[in-house]
Amino acid sequence: MPREVRERQMLDAAVVGFAKNGYQSASMDDIAEQAGVSKPLVYLYLKSKEDLFTACIRRERAALVEAVRGGTSERHTSADQQLWRGLCAFFAHTRAHPDGWSVLHRADTQGEPFAREVAGMRAEITELVRLLLSRAALDAGCEGEFAEREVSGLAHAMVGAAESLAVWANARTDDAPSAKETAATLMNFCWTGLEQMIKGARWSPHR
């Protein structure tokens, strides 16, 4: 069997094992058995448990970012429609690959170098969102200061909310929302508020 096929089998089994048990508790014996290979072969191909976990994170990270980029790739449409499609792609992917999403979500708490890999993924997606929000603000005639100063913070907040919603949606069983329903929840929460900010409306604690 070609090496790349063997490695894919190992990574598939490892993602399931890490998602179910976490990094510390996942067993290399169980992962090898699930992949249908010997444990020495896993170590031969992927060196160590740390390297195996890193490889899983990188594969799942690349797949998720590619899905979001694909959702926002239509250039001849409005910024809100691009953002909507990107969110739908994000939630569809995390729903279709719950183990992969669990690995990425859990990796954030496992320290370096795993958290750094997830931070890189988050930075890529946040930059996509920032560009779309900036474009929406500029198209509406907002001052450059707003586009530069506030849009960056809003992009980080939106990505954080999306990650939290993905965890929430995947945890539901009986009444699990669809990807579009979850995306609509976030668009209603964030985009409606952004539209008001673009128009100059601001909340103040002293009103």
Side-chain angles (χ1 to χ4, degrees):
M1 184 177 294
R3 175 170 180 145
E4 62 181 24
V5 176
R6 281 289 191 205
E7 285 192 3
R8 183 168 65 248
Q9 289 178 335
M10 294 176 193
L11 290 175
D12 288 343
V15 165
V16 173
F18 288 132
K20 180 180 179 181
N21 301 306
Y23 173 66
Q24 297 296 339
S25 299
S27 164
M28 293 293 278
D29 289 301
D30 291 343
I31 289 171
E33 182 179 356
Q34 182 70 27
V37 301
S38 66
K39 187 166 71 169
L41 188 60
V42 176
Y43 281 109
L44 176 65
Y45 280 18
L46 293 157
K47 310 305 179 186
S48 68
K49 185 178 182 181
E50 178 178 322
D51 287 339
L52 177 59
F53 192 49
T54 301
C56 289
I57 295 171
R58 288 176 177 172
R59 187 184 76 165
E60 300 306 317
R61 162 187 170 172
L64 180 55
V65 171
E66 182 180 359
V68 174
R69 286 189 184 281
T72 60
S73 62
E74 179 55 59
R75 301 301 179 188
H76 304 293
T77 187
S78 61
D80 64 319
Q81 284 297 313
Q82 281 186 270
L83 185 59
W84 156 252
R85 292 173 184 174
L87 287 174
C88 286
F90 176 85
F91 291 120
H93 185 89
T94 54
R95 167 63 69 176
H97 304 87
D99 290 332
W101 171 241
S102 180
V103 165
L104 291 173
H105 182 64
R106 287 186 176 199
D108 223 6
T109 64
Q110 297 299 322
E112 296 290 353
F114 311 128
R116 185 169 61 250
E117 293 287 343
V118 177
M121 174 199 72
R122 188 174 292 121
E124 288 185 79
I125 295 177
T126 300
E127 180 61 11
L128 284 174
V129 174
R130 187 194 68 77
L131 290 172
L132 290 174
L133 296 182
S134 179
R135 176 185 150 200
L138 293 174
D139 287 349
C142 281
E143 302 256 342
E145 181 184 358
F146 172 82
E148 293 299 324
R149 178 170 53 85
E150 296 190 276
V151 164
S152 179
L154 289 171
H156 279 81
M158 196 166 196
V159 171
E163 292 182 8
S164 181
L165 273 175
V167 174
W168 169 81
N170 280 7
R172 304 182 73 84
T173 54
D174 297 335
D175 59 343
S178 68
K180 288 187 176 180
E181 289 171 334
T182 309
T185 296
L186 190 52
M187 286 295 291
N188 284 326
F189 178 69
C190 295
W191 195 267
T192 302
L194 177 65
E195 284 187 325
Q196 294 302 310
M197 291 178 69
I198 288 174
K199 294 175 183 177
R202 291 291 187 278
W203 176 84
S204 171
H206 305 299
R207 287 193 302 180

Short mmCIF file of all heavy atoms in Angstrom, two decimals, residues 72 75 78-80 82-84 127-137 151 191:
data_model
loop_
_atom_site.label_atom_id
_atom_site.label_comp_id
_atom_site.label_asym_id
_atom_site.label_seq_id
_atom_site.Cartn_x
_atom_site.Cartn_y
_atom_site.Cartn_z
N THR A 72 -15.98 32.00 0.59
CA THR A 72 -15.88 33.46 0.39
C THR A 72 -15.23 33.81 -0.95
O THR A 72 -14.88 34.97 -1.17
CB THR A 72 -15.04 34.10 1.52
OG1 THR A 72 -13.72 33.54 1.51
CG2 THR A 72 -15.67 33.84 2.88
N ARG A 75 -16.24 36.69 -5.85
CA ARG A 75 -15.86 38.10 -5.74
C ARG A 75 -16.94 39.05 -6.26
O ARG A 75 -16.96 40.21 -5.89
CB ARG A 75 -14.57 38.35 -6.54
CG ARG A 75 -13.38 37.51 -6.07
CD ARG A 75 -13.06 37.76 -4.62
NE ARG A 75 -11.94 36.95 -4.15
CZ ARG A 75 -11.56 36.87 -2.89
NH1 ARG A 75 -12.22 37.54 -1.97
NH2 ARG A 75 -10.55 36.10 -2.53
N SER A 78 -21.87 40.97 -2.85
CA SER A 78 -21.69 41.91 -1.75
C SER A 78 -20.89 41.27 -0.61
O SER A 78 -20.80 40.04 -0.49
CB SER A 78 -23.06 42.37 -1.22
OG SER A 78 -23.80 41.26 -0.73
N ALA A 79 -20.32 42.13 0.23
CA ALA A 79 -19.49 41.64 1.34
C ALA A 79 -20.30 40.79 2.31
O ALA A 79 -19.81 39.78 2.82
CB ALA A 79 -18.86 42.83 2.07
N ASP A 80 -21.55 41.19 2.55
CA ASP A 80 -22.36 40.41 3.49
C ASP A 80 -22.69 39.03 2.93
O ASP A 80 -22.73 38.04 3.67
CB ASP A 80 -23.63 41.16 3.90
CG ASP A 80 -24.58 41.39 2.74
OD1 ASP A 80 -24.10 41.71 1.64
OD2 ASP A 80 -25.80 41.25 2.93
N GLN A 82 -20.75 37.32 0.84
CA GLN A 82 -19.52 36.55 0.94
C GLN A 82 -19.32 36.05 2.37
O GLN A 82 -18.93 34.89 2.59
CB GLN A 82 -18.32 37.40 0.53
CG GLN A 82 -18.14 37.52 -0.98
CD GLN A 82 -16.85 38.26 -1.31
OE1 GLN A 82 -16.84 39.47 -1.44
NE2 GLN A 82 -15.77 37.52 -1.43
N LEU A 83 -19.58 36.93 3.33
CA LEU A 83 -19.42 36.53 4.73
C LEU A 83 -20.42 35.44 5.08
O LEU A 83 -20.07 34.46 5.77
CB LEU A 83 -19.60 37.74 5.64
CG LEU A 83 -19.36 37.51 7.13
CD1 LEU A 83 -17.94 37.02 7.38
CD2 LEU A 83 -19.62 38.80 7.91
N TRP A 84 -21.65 35.57 4.62
CA TRP A 84 -22.69 34.58 4.87
C TRP A 84 -22.27 33.21 4.32
O TRP A 84 -22.37 32.20 5.00
CB TRP A 84 -23.99 35.05 4.23
CG TRP A 84 -24.98 33.98 3.89
CD1 TRP A 84 -25.31 33.53 2.65
CD2 TRP A 84 -25.80 33.25 4.82
NE1 TRP A 84 -26.27 32.54 2.74
CE2 TRP A 84 -26.59 32.35 4.06
CE3 TRP A 84 -25.93 33.25 6.20
CZ2 TRP A 84 -27.50 31.48 4.64
CZ3 TRP A 84 -26.83 32.37 6.79
CH2 TRP A 84 -27.61 31.51 6.01
N GLU A 127 -8.39 37.17 9.25
CA GLU A 127 -8.00 38.10 8.20
C GLU A 127 -9.02 38.10 7.06
O GLU A 127 -9.34 39.16 6.50
CB GLU A 127 -6.61 37.76 7.68
CG GLU A 127 -6.10 38.67 6.56
CD GLU A 127 -5.96 40.13 6.95
OE1 GLU A 127 -6.07 40.46 8.16
OE2 GLU A 127 -5.77 40.96 6.05
N LEU A 128 -9.55 36.94 6.72
CA LEU A 128 -10.61 36.88 5.70
C LEU A 128 -11.82 37.70 6.13
O LEU A 128 -12.38 38.49 5.35
CB LEU A 128 -11.04 35.43 5.47
CG LEU A 128 -10.11 34.52 4.66
CD1 LEU A 128 -10.64 33.09 4.68
CD2 LEU A 128 -10.00 35.02 3.23
N VAL A 129 -12.22 37.52 7.38
CA VAL A 129 -13.38 38.25 7.90
C VAL A 129 -13.09 39.75 7.97
O VAL A 129 -13.93 40.58 7.61
CB VAL A 129 -13.78 37.71 9.29
CG1 VAL A 129 -14.90 38.57 9.90
CG2 VAL A 129 -14.22 36.26 9.18
N ARG A 130 -11.89 40.10 8.39
CA ARG A 130 -11.53 41.52 8.50
C ARG A 130 -11.61 42.21 7.13
O ARG A 130 -12.12 43.33 7.02
CB ARG A 130 -10.12 41.68 9.06
CG ARG A 130 -9.74 43.14 9.37
CD ARG A 130 -8.25 43.28 9.58
NE ARG A 130 -7.48 43.05 8.36
CZ ARG A 130 -7.37 43.95 7.38
NH1 ARG A 130 -7.98 45.14 7.45
NH2 ARG A 130 -6.65 43.67 6.31
N LEU A 131 -11.11 41.55 6.12
CA LEU A 131 -11.15 42.14 4.78
C LEU A 131 -12.58 42.35 4.31
O LEU A 131 -12.89 43.38 3.69
CB LEU A 131 -10.40 41.23 3.79
CG LEU A 131 -8.88 41.17 3.96
CD1 LEU A 131 -8.28 40.10 3.05
CD2 LEU A 131 -8.25 42.53 3.67
N LEU A 132 -13.48 41.41 4.61
CA LEU A 132 -14.87 41.55 4.20
C LEU A 132 -15.57 42.67 4.98
O LEU A 132 -16.32 43.47 4.40
CB LEU A 132 -15.61 40.23 4.41
CG LEU A 132 -15.21 39.09 3.46
CD1 LEU A 132 -15.91 37.80 3.85
CD2 LEU A 132 -15.54 39.46 2.02
N LEU A 133 -15.32 42.76 6.28
CA LEU A 133 -15.92 43.82 7.08
C LEU A 133 -15.37 45.18 6.67
O LEU A 133 -16.11 46.17 6.61
CB LEU A 133 -15.66 43.58 8.57
CG LEU A 133 -16.29 42.32 9.17
CD1 LEU A 133 -15.98 42.26 10.67
CD2 LEU A 133 -17.78 42.27 8.95
N SER A 134 -14.09 45.24 6.38
CA SER A 134 -13.47 46.49 5.94
C SER A 134 -14.07 46.94 4.61
O SER A 134 -14.38 48.12 4.42
CB SER A 134 -11.96 46.31 5.81
OG SER A 134 -11.35 47.51 5.37
N ARG A 135 -14.25 45.98 3.71
CA ARG A 135 -14.85 46.31 2.43
C ARG A 135 -16.27 46.83 2.59
O ARG A 135 -16.68 47.81 1.96
CB ARG A 135 -14.87 45.06 1.54
CG ARG A 135 -15.55 45.27 0.20
CD ARG A 135 -15.63 43.97 -0.57
NE ARG A 135 -16.80 43.96 -1.43
CZ ARG A 135 -17.35 42.88 -1.93
NH1 ARG A 135 -16.84 41.70 -1.64
NH2 ARG A 135 -18.41 42.94 -2.71
N ALA A 136 -17.04 46.20 3.49
CA ALA A 136 -18.41 46.65 3.73
C ALA A 136 -18.44 48.07 4.29
O ALA A 136 -19.26 48.90 3.89
CB ALA A 136 -19.11 45.69 4.70
N ALA A 137 -17.53 48.35 5.22
CA ALA A 137 -17.47 49.69 5.82
C ALA A 137 -17.09 50.74 4.78
O ALA A 137 -17.69 51.81 4.71
CB ALA A 137 -16.47 49.68 6.97
N VAL A 151 -12.85 47.55 12.76
CA VAL A 151 -13.14 46.34 12.00
C VAL A 151 -12.26 45.17 12.46
O VAL A 151 -12.72 44.04 12.53
CB VAL A 151 -12.97 46.60 10.49
CG1 VAL A 151 -12.87 45.30 9.71
CG2 VAL A 151 -14.15 47.41 9.97
N TRP A 191 -24.01 41.17 12.01
CA TRP A 191 -24.15 42.05 10.86
C TRP A 191 -25.15 43.17 11.13
O TRP A 191 -24.96 44.30 10.72
CB TRP A 191 -24.55 41.28 9.61
CG TRP A 191 -24.36 42.10 8.38
CD1 TRP A 191 -25.29 42.88 7.75
CD2 TRP A 191 -23.14 42.29 7.66
NE1 TRP A 191 -24.72 43.52 6.68
CE2 TRP A 191 -23.41 43.17 6.60
CE3 TRP A 191 -21.85 41.77 7.81
CZ2 TRP A 191 -22.43 43.56 5.70
CZ3 TRP A 191 -20.88 42.15 6.91
CH2 TRP A 191 -21.18 43.04 5.87
#
